[in-house]
Amino acid sequence: MIHMLRSEFLPYSSPLIAEDEINEVTDTLRSSWLSRGPKTAEFERQFADYVGASHAIAMNSCTAALHVALIARGIGPGDEVITSPLTFAATANTIIHCGAKPVFVDVDAETGNIDPSGIEEKITNKTKAIVPVHYAGQACDMDRIIGIARKYGLFVSEDAAHAIYTTYKGRMIGGIGDATSFSFYATKNLCTGEGGMLTTNDDSIAEKARVISLHGMSKNAWNRYDKNGSWYYEILYPGFKYNMTDIQASLGIQQLKKLEHMQKAREAYAKRYNEAFAGVPGIITPKEIPGNRHSWHLYVIQLDGNQIRIGRDRLIEELTKRNIGTSVHFIPVHLHPYYQERYGYKKGAYPVAEHMYERMVSLPLYPKMRPEDIDRVVDAVTGIVRENR
Ligand SMILES: *Cc1c(COP(=O)(O)O)cnc(C)c1O
């Protein structure tokens, strides 16, 4: 028993859900409005304000938001969309859902973000959009990306699944590109269980996105069961069932209130990791670009194979033995069987992303952790690395 307590499993991730969230959800359940309704509208307004965008459209996932953004811009069969290979597959899958082809550009070795210097050579007359991913919660080089996009008339749809709270040159992510998609999945910095948000400053994209994300129904169809609503609607597009519910929005409203507080914990813990690993040969800590604010969605270390004898897989095994959960972000998308078979992508095609992937481990980092949990991870990682010099 005592041994069990000492080495209690530390999960890779765990959401911070407290009485505020529970009460807000209960209030919604008692109100009887369970689908998209007043709380979703309230969450959208608050979120738009928070990121400084003129529109926010709540959806049931970031995947849905990424898909809707491209459809709203009219991207379809025959088109090509440029993105990063170092991302969750949904970023590229949604390009395929539109009928378009994902074209990858390798990442920068220091940040894991798409390397702008590789974008122009991949642009063809079929290219319609760029989907940059703010890897781990650090902003991409948006000035260069938007500069290229304007030059070639491309749409910029940001994957900000990691990047709530992230700033780029003092501006919040969410109001910079043409459209930005956020995730509220259970592991993300703000969590509604499942959920996502599309933000934009473009009135036409916003209007289309609203329609596309709710069956393609004409405006305001969501309140058709309300006293002020109308039974009548028109289908303007064969849309999707991608709307958020008021149950999810209840979580979102309360999570947004404590976001700054939760982010302070992430910042403090990232700093604690950085300082503890600074002098340890064999561990490469995440590189921060000065002037931008990192959301610390992920804390990814890299192993330096010249300094230590164990690889990523062994480190994960050893940490698991010590009851510490870890993860890997990400298996580069072009290495997945579907992408290899359908598009002929081969191992070696994106060497920087592959090199990072082979050496990377994501360590637990979330507000619910206690400082001593961070220290436990530090001791375990440094111990394993030292034993394997
Ligand atoms: C989590 C994640 C997504 C998908 O978010 P969902 O809300 O689960 O659809 C997309 N892109 C990246 C980079 C992610 O980490």
mmCIF file of all heavy atoms in Angstrom, residues 60-66 86-92 133-136 159-162 181-188 193-197 297-298 329-330, ligand 1:
data_model
loop_
_atom_site.group_PDB
_atom_site.id
_atom_site.type_symbol
_atom_site.label_atom_id
_atom_site.label_comp_id
_atom_site.label_asym_id
_atom_site.label_seq_id
_atom_site.Cartn_x
_atom_site.Cartn_y
_atom_site.Cartn_z
ATOM 1 N N ASN A 60 -18.062 21.257 -32.594
ATOM 2 C CA ASN A 60 -17.880 20.101 -31.708
ATOM 3 C C ASN A 60 -16.439 19.596 -31.682
ATOM 4 O O ASN A 60 -16.124 18.669 -30.942
ATOM 5 C CB ASN A 60 -18.867 18.987 -32.038
ATOM 6 C CG ASN A 60 -18.773 18.520 -33.480
ATOM 7 O OD1 ASN A 60 -17.786 18.815 -34.157
ATOM 8 N ND2 ASN A 60 -19.765 17.814 -33.948
ATOM 9 N N SER A 61 -15.551 20.189 -32.489
ATOM 10 C CA SER A 61 -14.125 19.856 -32.426
ATOM 11 C C SER A 61 -13.322 20.866 -33.225
ATOM 12 O O SER A 61 -13.871 21.622 -34.033
ATOM 13 C CB SER A 61 -13.859 18.445 -32.971
ATOM 14 O OG SER A 61 -14.066 18.418 -34.372
ATOM 15 N N CYS A 62 -12.015 20.815 -33.019
ATOM 16 C CA CYS A 62 -11.104 21.611 -33.843
ATOM 17 C C CYS A 62 -11.059 21.032 -35.250
ATOM 18 O O CYS A 62 -10.938 21.761 -36.236
ATOM 19 C CB CYS A 62 -9.725 21.595 -33.194
ATOM 20 S SG CYS A 62 -8.436 22.440 -34.097
ATOM 21 N N THR A 63 -11.169 19.712 -35.326
ATOM 22 C CA THR A 63 -11.190 19.045 -36.627
ATOM 23 C C THR A 63 -12.329 19.615 -37.483
ATOM 24 O O THR A 63 -12.137 19.945 -38.657
ATOM 25 C CB THR A 63 -11.374 17.524 -36.426
ATOM 26 O OG1 THR A 63 -10.341 17.055 -35.554
ATOM 27 C CG2 THR A 63 -11.334 16.766 -37.732
ATOM 28 N N ALA A 64 -13.511 19.745 -36.877
ATOM 29 C CA ALA A 64 -14.668 20.312 -37.584
ATOM 30 C C ALA A 64 -14.369 21.734 -38.036
ATOM 31 O O ALA A 64 -14.656 22.119 -39.172
ATOM 32 C CB ALA A 64 -15.889 20.287 -36.672
ATOM 33 N N ALA A 65 -13.763 22.532 -37.147
ATOM 34 C CA ALA A 65 -13.466 23.928 -37.473
ATOM 35 C C ALA A 65 -12.475 24.018 -38.637
ATOM 36 O O ALA A 65 -12.647 24.823 -39.556
ATOM 37 C CB ALA A 65 -12.923 24.646 -36.246
ATOM 38 N N LEU A 66 -11.443 23.169 -38.622
ATOM 39 C CA LEU A 66 -10.450 23.161 -39.710
ATOM 40 C C LEU A 66 -11.126 22.818 -41.039
ATOM 41 O O LEU A 66 -10.840 23.422 -42.075
ATOM 42 C CB LEU A 66 -9.353 22.128 -39.414
ATOM 43 C CG LEU A 66 -8.359 22.479 -38.305
ATOM 44 C CD1 LEU A 66 -7.599 21.235 -37.848
ATOM 45 C CD2 LEU A 66 -7.391 23.567 -38.770
ATOM 46 N N LEU A 86 4.449 17.755 -39.035
ATOM 47 C CA LEU A 86 4.585 17.490 -37.605
ATOM 48 C C LEU A 86 3.329 17.997 -36.891
ATOM 49 O O LEU A 86 3.324 19.035 -36.235
ATOM 50 C CB LEU A 86 5.838 18.167 -37.044
ATOM 51 C CG LEU A 86 6.280 17.684 -35.663
ATOM 52 C CD1 LEU A 86 6.710 16.219 -35.686
ATOM 53 C CD2 LEU A 86 7.402 18.545 -35.108
ATOM 54 N N THR A 87 2.249 17.232 -37.067
ATOM 55 C CA THR A 87 0.973 17.631 -36.497
ATOM 56 C C THR A 87 0.112 16.402 -36.283
ATOM 57 O O THR A 87 0.462 15.291 -36.723
ATOM 58 C CB THR A 87 0.249 18.636 -37.424
ATOM 59 O OG1 THR A 87 -0.966 19.074 -36.782
ATOM 60 C CG2 THR A 87 -0.110 18.034 -38.778
ATOM 61 N N PHE A 88 -1.024 16.612 -35.626
ATOM 62 C CA PHE A 88 -1.988 15.538 -35.507
ATOM 63 C C PHE A 88 -2.642 15.346 -36.877
ATOM 64 O O PHE A 88 -2.849 16.306 -37.620
ATOM 65 C CB PHE A 88 -3.033 15.891 -34.439
ATOM 66 C CG PHE A 88 -4.025 14.803 -34.226
ATOM 67 C CD1 PHE A 88 -3.608 13.530 -33.880
ATOM 68 C CD2 PHE A 88 -5.378 15.047 -34.383
ATOM 69 C CE1 PHE A 88 -4.519 12.503 -33.691
ATOM 70 C CE2 PHE A 88 -6.294 14.030 -34.188
ATOM 71 C CZ PHE A 88 -5.871 12.760 -33.849
ATOM 72 N N ALA A 89 -2.946 14.099 -37.202
ATOM 73 C CA ALA A 89 -3.427 13.762 -38.544
ATOM 74 C C ALA A 89 -4.651 14.568 -38.968
ATOM 75 O O ALA A 89 -4.859 14.808 -40.165
ATOM 76 C CB ALA A 89 -3.726 12.272 -38.622
ATOM 77 N N ALA A 90 -5.467 15.033 -37.995
ATOM 78 C CA ALA A 90 -6.690 15.774 -38.338
ATOM 79 C C ALA A 90 -6.392 16.988 -39.212
ATOM 80 O O ALA A 90 -7.203 17.343 -40.076
ATOM 81 C CB ALA A 90 -7.404 16.224 -37.061
ATOM 82 N N THR A 91 -5.245 17.632 -38.999
ATOM 83 C CA THR A 91 -4.885 18.819 -39.785
ATOM 84 C C THR A 91 -4.888 18.472 -41.274
ATOM 85 O O THR A 91 -5.429 19.216 -42.095
ATOM 86 C CB THR A 91 -3.480 19.327 -39.382
ATOM 87 O OG1 THR A 91 -3.330 19.267 -37.973
ATOM 88 C CG2 THR A 91 -3.232 20.727 -39.884
ATOM 89 N N ALA A 92 -4.283 17.351 -41.610
ATOM 90 C CA ALA A 92 -4.193 16.934 -43.018
ATOM 91 C C ALA A 92 -5.457 16.203 -43.462
ATOM 92 O O ALA A 92 -5.904 16.357 -44.606
ATOM 93 C CB ALA A 92 -2.961 16.052 -43.211
ATOM 94 N N VAL A 133 0.547 25.222 -38.261
ATOM 95 C CA VAL A 133 0.207 24.632 -36.957
ATOM 96 C C VAL A 133 1.135 25.247 -35.913
ATOM 97 O O VAL A 133 2.357 25.162 -36.061
ATOM 98 C CB VAL A 133 0.420 23.096 -36.990
ATOM 99 C CG1 VAL A 133 0.057 22.474 -35.636
ATOM 100 C CG2 VAL A 133 -0.359 22.453 -38.128
ATOM 101 N N HIS A 134 0.571 25.840 -34.891
ATOM 102 C CA HIS A 134 1.406 26.453 -33.846
ATOM 103 C C HIS A 134 1.837 25.346 -32.887
ATOM 104 O O HIS A 134 1.196 25.107 -31.861
ATOM 105 C CB HIS A 134 0.642 27.566 -33.126
ATOM 106 C CG HIS A 134 0.124 28.620 -34.060
ATOM 107 N ND1 HIS A 134 0.955 29.433 -34.795
ATOM 108 C CD2 HIS A 134 -1.139 28.977 -34.406
ATOM 109 C CE1 HIS A 134 0.231 30.258 -35.534
ATOM 110 N NE2 HIS A 134 -1.043 29.997 -35.320
ATOM 111 N N TYR A 135 2.914 24.697 -33.245
ATOM 112 C CA TYR A 135 3.346 23.473 -32.567
ATOM 113 C C TYR A 135 3.653 23.695 -31.085
ATOM 114 O O TYR A 135 4.440 24.588 -30.741
ATOM 115 C CB TYR A 135 4.571 22.899 -33.294
ATOM 116 C CG TYR A 135 5.112 21.638 -32.668
ATOM 117 C CD1 TYR A 135 4.498 20.411 -32.898
ATOM 118 C CD2 TYR A 135 6.220 21.674 -31.836
ATOM 119 C CE1 TYR A 135 4.976 19.256 -32.310
ATOM 120 C CE2 TYR A 135 6.717 20.524 -31.245
ATOM 121 C CZ TYR A 135 6.087 19.317 -31.495
ATOM 122 O OH TYR A 135 6.562 18.172 -30.906
ATOM 123 N N ALA A 136 3.049 22.874 -30.247
ATOM 124 C CA ALA A 136 3.240 22.883 -28.786
ATOM 125 C C ALA A 136 2.683 24.136 -28.113
ATOM 126 O O ALA A 136 2.620 24.211 -26.892
ATOM 127 C CB ALA A 136 4.707 22.681 -28.409
ATOM 128 N N ASP A 159 -4.066 26.222 -37.587
ATOM 129 C CA ASP A 159 -4.412 25.175 -36.625
ATOM 130 C C ASP A 159 -3.848 25.633 -35.283
ATOM 131 O O ASP A 159 -2.652 25.538 -35.023
ATOM 132 C CB ASP A 159 -3.813 23.831 -37.046
ATOM 133 C CG ASP A 159 -4.165 22.711 -36.073
ATOM 134 O OD1 ASP A 159 -4.436 23.011 -34.894
ATOM 135 O OD2 ASP A 159 -4.143 21.539 -36.490
ATOM 136 N N ALA A 160 -4.764 26.156 -34.451
ATOM 137 C CA ALA A 160 -4.365 26.683 -33.134
ATOM 138 C C ALA A 160 -4.846 25.760 -32.017
ATOM 139 O O ALA A 160 -5.161 26.215 -30.916
ATOM 140 C CB ALA A 160 -4.909 28.093 -32.956
ATOM 141 N N ALA A 161 -4.868 24.465 -32.305
ATOM 142 C CA ALA A 161 -5.296 23.489 -31.292
ATOM 143 C C ALA A 161 -4.457 23.612 -30.022
ATOM 144 O O ALA A 161 -4.940 23.342 -28.921
ATOM 145 C CB ALA A 161 -5.196 22.066 -31.849
ATOM 146 N N HIS A 162 -3.189 24.053 -30.177
ATOM 147 C CA HIS A 162 -2.293 24.174 -29.019
ATOM 148 C C HIS A 162 -2.171 25.623 -28.552
ATOM 149 O O HIS A 162 -1.443 25.885 -27.606
ATOM 150 C CB HIS A 162 -0.873 23.708 -29.382
ATOM 151 C CG HIS A 162 -0.791 22.312 -29.889
ATOM 152 N ND1 HIS A 162 0.382 21.751 -30.332
ATOM 153 C CD2 HIS A 162 -1.735 21.346 -30.008
ATOM 154 C CE1 HIS A 162 0.157 20.506 -30.726
ATOM 155 N NE2 HIS A 162 -1.110 20.240 -30.547
ATOM 156 N N SER A 181 -8.490 27.860 -35.950
ATOM 157 C CA SER A 181 -9.255 26.791 -35.307
ATOM 158 C C SER A 181 -8.608 26.398 -33.984
ATOM 159 O O SER A 181 -7.413 26.098 -33.935
ATOM 160 C CB SER A 181 -9.321 25.567 -36.215
ATOM 161 O OG SER A 181 -9.982 25.897 -37.418
ATOM 162 N N PHE A 182 -9.422 26.391 -32.936
ATOM 163 C CA PHE A 182 -8.963 26.014 -31.591
ATOM 164 C C PHE A 182 -9.597 24.691 -31.183
ATOM 165 O O PHE A 182 -10.696 24.365 -31.641
ATOM 166 C CB PHE A 182 -9.366 27.084 -30.574
ATOM 167 C CG PHE A 182 -8.678 28.406 -30.771
ATOM 168 C CD1 PHE A 182 -9.242 29.380 -31.601
ATOM 169 C CD2 PHE A 182 -7.476 28.682 -30.145
ATOM 170 C CE1 PHE A 182 -8.612 30.599 -31.792
ATOM 171 C CE2 PHE A 182 -6.840 29.910 -30.333
ATOM 172 C CZ PHE A 182 -7.401 30.866 -31.162
ATOM 173 N N SER A 183 -8.922 23.966 -30.297
ATOM 174 C CA SER A 183 -9.451 22.693 -29.791
ATOM 175 C C SER A 183 -9.709 22.774 -28.295
ATOM 176 O O SER A 183 -8.886 23.307 -27.545
ATOM 177 C CB SER A 183 -8.464 21.560 -30.047
ATOM 178 O OG SER A 183 -8.931 20.365 -29.433
ATOM 179 N N PHE A 184 -10.839 22.208 -27.879
ATOM 180 C CA PHE A 184 -11.153 22.084 -26.447
ATOM 181 C C PHE A 184 -11.274 20.614 -26.057
ATOM 182 O O PHE A 184 -12.047 20.244 -25.177
ATOM 183 C CB PHE A 184 -12.449 22.843 -26.125
ATOM 184 C CG PHE A 184 -12.496 24.247 -26.663
ATOM 185 C CD1 PHE A 184 -13.631 24.722 -27.315
ATOM 186 C CD2 PHE A 184 -11.402 25.099 -26.525
ATOM 187 C CE1 PHE A 184 -13.682 26.016 -27.817
ATOM 188 C CE2 PHE A 184 -11.432 26.398 -27.026
ATOM 189 C CZ PHE A 184 -12.582 26.853 -27.682
ATOM 190 N N TYR A 185 -10.529 19.789 -26.756
ATOM 191 C CA TYR A 185 -10.454 18.360 -26.450
ATOM 192 C C TYR A 185 -9.926 18.181 -25.019
ATOM 193 O O TYR A 185 -9.309 19.092 -24.459
ATOM 194 C CB TYR A 185 -9.513 17.710 -27.485
ATOM 195 C CG TYR A 185 -9.255 16.247 -27.291
ATOM 196 C CD1 TYR A 185 -10.291 15.323 -27.414
ATOM 197 C CD2 TYR A 185 -7.975 15.781 -27.024
ATOM 198 C CE1 TYR A 185 -10.046 13.968 -27.241
ATOM 199 C CE2 TYR A 185 -7.722 14.431 -26.858
ATOM 200 C CZ TYR A 185 -8.764 13.527 -26.967
ATOM 201 O OH TYR A 185 -8.520 12.201 -26.796
ATOM 202 N N ALA A 186 -10.171 17.012 -24.444
ATOM 203 C CA ALA A 186 -9.894 16.785 -23.023
ATOM 204 C C ALA A 186 -8.461 17.092 -22.599
ATOM 205 O O ALA A 186 -8.214 17.472 -21.454
ATOM 206 C CB ALA A 186 -10.257 15.353 -22.655
ATOM 207 N N THR A 187 -7.498 16.955 -23.498
ATOM 208 C CA THR A 187 -6.098 17.183 -23.109
ATOM 209 C C THR A 187 -5.658 18.635 -23.340
ATOM 210 O O THR A 187 -4.540 19.004 -22.968
ATOM 211 C CB THR A 187 -5.136 16.303 -23.934
ATOM 212 O OG1 THR A 187 -5.319 16.634 -25.313
ATOM 213 C CG2 THR A 187 -5.396 14.829 -23.720
ATOM 214 N N LYS A 188 -6.485 19.440 -23.982
ATOM 215 C CA LYS A 188 -6.029 20.769 -24.397
ATOM 216 C C LYS A 188 -6.085 21.782 -23.239
ATOM 217 O O LYS A 188 -6.674 21.508 -22.205
ATOM 218 C CB LYS A 188 -6.862 21.239 -25.600
ATOM 219 C CG LYS A 188 -6.744 20.320 -26.842
ATOM 220 C CD LYS A 188 -5.343 20.266 -27.385
ATOM 221 C CE LYS A 188 -5.106 19.700 -28.764
ATOM 222 N NZ LYS A 188 -5.639 18.483 -29.250
ATOM 223 N N GLY A 193 -14.350 18.745 -22.907
ATOM 224 C CA GLY A 193 -14.547 17.326 -23.220
ATOM 225 C C GLY A 193 -14.224 17.099 -24.678
ATOM 226 O O GLY A 193 -13.195 16.538 -25.029
ATOM 227 N N GLU A 194 -15.116 17.523 -25.537
ATOM 228 C CA GLU A 194 -14.869 17.656 -26.972
ATOM 229 C C GLU A 194 -15.352 19.055 -27.329
ATOM 230 O O GLU A 194 -16.348 19.519 -26.777
ATOM 231 C CB GLU A 194 -15.678 16.638 -27.793
ATOM 232 C CG GLU A 194 -15.354 15.188 -27.524
ATOM 233 C CD GLU A 194 -14.097 14.696 -28.240
ATOM 234 O OE1 GLU A 194 -13.450 15.488 -28.957
ATOM 235 O OE2 GLU A 194 -13.785 13.506 -28.045
ATOM 236 N N GLY A 195 -14.699 19.689 -28.273
ATOM 237 C CA GLY A 195 -15.163 21.009 -28.683
ATOM 238 C C GLY A 195 -14.110 21.745 -29.473
ATOM 239 O O GLY A 195 -12.931 21.378 -29.450
ATOM 240 N N GLY A 196 -14.550 22.757 -30.174
ATOM 241 C CA GLY A 196 -13.624 23.564 -30.957
ATOM 242 C C GLY A 196 -14.231 24.917 -31.254
ATOM 243 O O GLY A 196 -15.420 25.151 -31.000
ATOM 244 N N MET A 197 -13.405 25.822 -31.771
ATOM 245 C CA MET A 197 -13.875 27.169 -32.102
ATOM 246 C C MET A 197 -13.167 27.646 -33.348
ATOM 247 O O MET A 197 -11.957 27.458 -33.489
ATOM 248 C CB MET A 197 -13.566 28.113 -30.935
ATOM 249 C CG MET A 197 -14.230 29.461 -31.009
ATOM 250 S SD MET A 197 -16.003 29.429 -30.650
ATOM 251 C CE MET A 197 -16.049 29.431 -28.865
ATOM 252 N N HIS A 297 1.254 24.223 -24.244
ATOM 253 C CA HIS A 297 0.345 23.075 -24.327
ATOM 254 C C HIS A 297 1.143 21.785 -24.192
ATOM 255 O O HIS A 297 0.719 20.847 -23.528
ATOM 256 C CB HIS A 297 -0.439 23.086 -25.637
ATOM 257 C CG HIS A 297 -1.194 21.816 -25.834
ATOM 258 N ND1 HIS A 297 -2.108 21.365 -24.911
ATOM 259 C CD2 HIS A 297 -1.136 20.870 -26.799
ATOM 260 C CE1 HIS A 297 -2.597 20.202 -25.304
ATOM 261 N NE2 HIS A 297 -2.017 19.874 -26.440
ATOM 262 N N LEU A 298 2.319 21.760 -24.841
ATOM 263 C CA LEU A 298 3.190 20.582 -24.746
ATOM 264 C C LEU A 298 4.540 21.004 -24.192
ATOM 265 O O LEU A 298 5.015 22.103 -24.474
ATOM 266 C CB LEU A 298 3.428 19.962 -26.133
ATOM 267 C CG LEU A 298 2.240 19.555 -26.983
ATOM 268 C CD1 LEU A 298 2.732 19.039 -28.337
ATOM 269 C CD2 LEU A 298 1.395 18.496 -26.290
ATOM 270 N N HIS A 329 4.451 13.726 -29.730
ATOM 271 C CA HIS A 329 3.733 14.655 -30.613
ATOM 272 C C HIS A 329 4.645 15.144 -31.720
ATOM 273 O O HIS A 329 5.418 16.050 -31.493
ATOM 274 C CB HIS A 329 3.212 15.853 -29.828
ATOM 275 C CG HIS A 329 2.229 15.480 -28.772
ATOM 276 N ND1 HIS A 329 2.601 15.164 -27.485
ATOM 277 C CD2 HIS A 329 0.883 15.334 -28.830
ATOM 278 C CE1 HIS A 329 1.509 14.863 -26.782
ATOM 279 N NE2 HIS A 329 0.464 14.950 -27.574
ATOM 280 N N PHE A 330 4.595 14.606 -32.881
ATOM 281 C CA PHE A 330 3.605 13.658 -33.368
ATOM 282 C C PHE A 330 4.293 12.633 -34.252
ATOM 283 O O PHE A 330 5.417 12.887 -34.703
ATOM 284 C CB PHE A 330 2.566 14.396 -34.242
ATOM 285 C CG PHE A 330 1.693 15.359 -33.458
ATOM 286 C CD1 PHE A 330 2.022 16.705 -33.366
ATOM 287 C CD2 PHE A 330 0.545 14.914 -32.821
ATOM 288 C CE1 PHE A 330 1.216 17.580 -32.662
ATOM 289 C CE2 PHE A 330 -0.268 15.796 -32.131
ATOM 290 C CZ PHE A 330 0.073 17.129 -32.049
HETATM 291 C C1 LIG B 1 -5.877 18.050 -30.851
HETATM 292 C C2 LIG B 1 -5.458 18.525 -32.191
HETATM 293 C C3 LIG B 1 -6.353 18.648 -33.261
HETATM 294 C C4 LIG B 1 -7.746 18.109 -33.203
HETATM 295 O O1 LIG B 1 -8.534 18.684 -32.221
HETATM 296 P P1 LIG B 1 -9.964 18.042 -31.932
HETATM 297 O O2 LIG B 1 -10.640 19.117 -31.131
HETATM 298 O O3 LIG B 1 -9.731 16.794 -31.161
HETATM 299 O O4 LIG B 1 -10.628 17.810 -33.224
HETATM 300 C C5 LIG B 1 -5.923 19.228 -34.431
HETATM 301 N N1 LIG B 1 -4.645 19.634 -34.576
HETATM 302 C C6 LIG B 1 -3.744 19.504 -33.595
HETATM 303 C C7 LIG B 1 -2.354 20.002 -33.819
HETATM 304 C C8 LIG B 1 -4.111 18.924 -32.373
HETATM 305 O O5 LIG B 1 -3.201 18.767 -31.412
#
